[in-house]
Amino acid sequence: MQIIDGKAVSAAVRDRIKAEVLELKSKGKQTGLAVIIVGEDPASKVYVSNKKKGCEQVGINSFEYALPEETTTEELLTLIGELNNDDKVDGILCQLPLPKHIDEQTVINSIVPEKDVDAFHPTNTGHIMIGDYSFLPCTPAGIIEMLNFYNIEISGKECVVIGRSNIVGKPMAMLLLQNSGTVTVCHSKTADLSDVTKRADILVSAVGKANFVTAEMVKDGAVVIDVGMNRNAEGKLCGDVDFEAVKDKCSFITPVPGGVGPMTITMLLNNTLTASKNRIK
Ligand code: GUN
């Protein structure tokens, strides 16, 4: 069994991004990311702080907008409208989830597709569907990058994704399909889940429940990718996969922390660099 080291892959990709950001700077083009957070969700605060740190590391300017919980949809749309027209801003990221009274899809739709570094706008999701895109959603893109880094073949493999969210499950399935995997998407209504997961050569779990994926659900020699970010009973950060039980059964596995998480932020930085380069053109 080999542990997929998301930090090491991240470091390699970030070095390349840093060099490119610096080169743009030497030509007079600075790269900037606006990060919006609404409310006090503790997990979101950690993610946003890590995104800002990532920007700093590669020389991207970050502009944080921390708005109070009671912010209205209209106020948020006004801010995004300003950022859409701000030349210092190449990418706009609005951390999800938003407070319940704000209409999330309206907010996503208001970011111009050229600055939508999350690739959540329907225009960008449509581009991904037909395989012609500038930005890929960060988490699935980071997973493909890690698989490539470890020379893990996707073509012809049975790929099973657990979870069908717009952020991870659906775009993950699409990217695996584009890489010629045979893809099955499972979700809460799937009958006999472990019957399906046991077929997987590559198993991606994006469920959000600690110890959801047990050893019985995993085929011998499978590649296991854990997108979960959960707290266990002791309050420790953990993924969806029962790591200790599954690790000896698989060929590769991503740990939590240190697997998918760092790659997600790295791909955000990469999308911001792409947005910056596209705006020069
Ligand atoms: N919340 C959880 N994951 C993400 C992400 O990739 N982007 C944004 N904007 N919010 C998130």
Side-chain angles (χ1 to χ4, degrees), residues 10 16 26 38-39 44 47 55 65 68 80 89 98 114 124-125 127-128 164 174 194 197 199 242 251 254 267 270 275:
S10 270
R16 193 257 304 154
S26 75
V38 185
S44 288
Y47 296 145
C55 283
Y65 297 85
I80 290 172
V89 173
L98 288 165
E114 296 76 17
N124 286 326
T125 55
H127 278 297
I128 292 156
R164 55 173 157 176
M174 202 52 62
S194 72
T197 60
R199 295 205 301 260
D242 181 356
S251 55
T254 61
M267 299 324 280
N270 192 52

Side-chain angles (χ1 to χ4, degrees), residues 80-105:
I80 290 172
E82 287 164 12
L83 298 172
N84 280 338
N85 291 310
D86 186 337
D87 267 346
K88 293 190 294 301
V89 173
D90 298 293
I92 302 170
L93 176 133
C94 184
Q95 186 64 32
L96 303 180
L98 288 165
K100 292 215 173 3
H101 66 275
I102 297 179
D103 182 29
E104 214 156 81
Q105 195 60 49

Side-chain angles (χ1 to χ4, degrees), residues 4-148:
I4 296 181
D5 185 347
K7 281 193 198 153
V9 185
S10 270
V13 179
R14 286 186 200 197
D15 279 349
R16 193 257 304 154
I17 295 171
K18 188 175 178 176
E20 285 196 50
V21 168
L22 199 64
E23 196 192 330
L24 287 181
K25 206 178 266 183
S26 75
K27 294 178 182 159
K29 172 71 183 95
Q30 302 224 9
T31 299
L33 174 69
V35 183
I36 306 169
I37 176 168
V38 185
E40 303 295 326
D41 181 68
S44 288
K45 282 186 172 178
V46 174
Y47 296 145
V48 163
S49 149
N50 287 338
K51 287 170 185 179
K52 277 169 52 194
K53 275 186 216 149
C55 283
E56 224 167 272
Q57 212 186 0
V58 299
I60 293 176
N61 303 321
S62 71
F63 312 105
E64 185 182 351
Y65 297 85
L67 307 180
E69 176 81 22
E70 57 276 12
T71 302
T72 63
T73 302
E74 289 67 34
E75 286 167 330
L76 191 49
L77 293 182
T78 301
L79 170 63
I80 290 172
E82 287 164 12
L83 298 172
N84 280 338
N85 291 310
D86 186 337
D87 267 346
K88 293 190 294 301
V89 173
D90 298 293
I92 302 170
L93 176 133
C94 184
Q95 186 64 32
L96 303 180
L98 288 165
K100 292 215 173 3
H101 66 275
I102 297 179
D103 182 29
E104 214 156 81
Q105 195 60 49
T106 302
V107 171
I108 289 170
N109 293 357
S110 74
I111 298 173
V112 288
E114 296 76 17
K115 295 191 179 188
D116 170 39
V117 286
D118 266 323
F120 292 165
H121 189 286
T123 295
N124 286 326
T125 55
H127 278 297
I128 292 156
M129 186 82 156
I130 57 173
D132 157 36
Y133 44 75
S134 286
F135 308 125
L136 289 175
C138 304
T139 299
I143 290 169
I144 298 290
E145 192 83 19
M146 284 195 292
L147 294 174
N148 289 340

Side-chain angles (χ1 to χ4, degrees), residues 127-244:
H127 278 297
I128 292 156
M129 186 82 156
I130 57 173
D132 157 36
Y133 44 75
S134 286
F135 308 125
L136 289 175
C138 304
T139 299
I143 290 169
I144 298 290
E145 192 83 19
M146 284 195 292
L147 294 174
N148 289 340
F149 190 92
Y150 284 87
N151 292 315
I152 297 167
E153 177 105 74
I154 302 169
S155 178
K157 294 294 163 64
E158 285 281 348
C159 304
V160 174
V161 180
I162 319 175
R164 55 173 157 176
S165 71
N166 288 337
I167 297 184
V168 182
K170 284 188 218 169
M172 185 75 252
M174 202 52 62
L175 296 195
L176 290 166
L177 182 60
Q178 250 152 36
N179 284 275
S180 304
T182 301
V183 184
T184 307
V185 182
C186 302
H187 45 79
S188 54
K189 301 286 188 291
T190 298
D192 206 347
L193 179 65
S194 72
D195 198 45
V196 182
T197 60
K198 269 189 295 206
R199 295 205 301 260
D201 301 310
I202 299 174
L203 178 62
V204 180
S205 181
V207 174
K209 285 187 189 148
N211 294 324
F212 184 85
V213 176
T214 59
E216 297 72 49
M217 292 166 72
V218 177
K219 180 166 97 171
D220 278 335
V223 175
V224 178
I225 306 292
D226 192 346
V227 186
M229 278 280 202
N230 314 302
R231 299 269 167 195
N232 66 12
E234 293 87 52
K236 214 177 118 214
L237 190 65
C238 65
D240 291 344
V241 177
D242 181 356
F243 186 87
E244 284 310 314

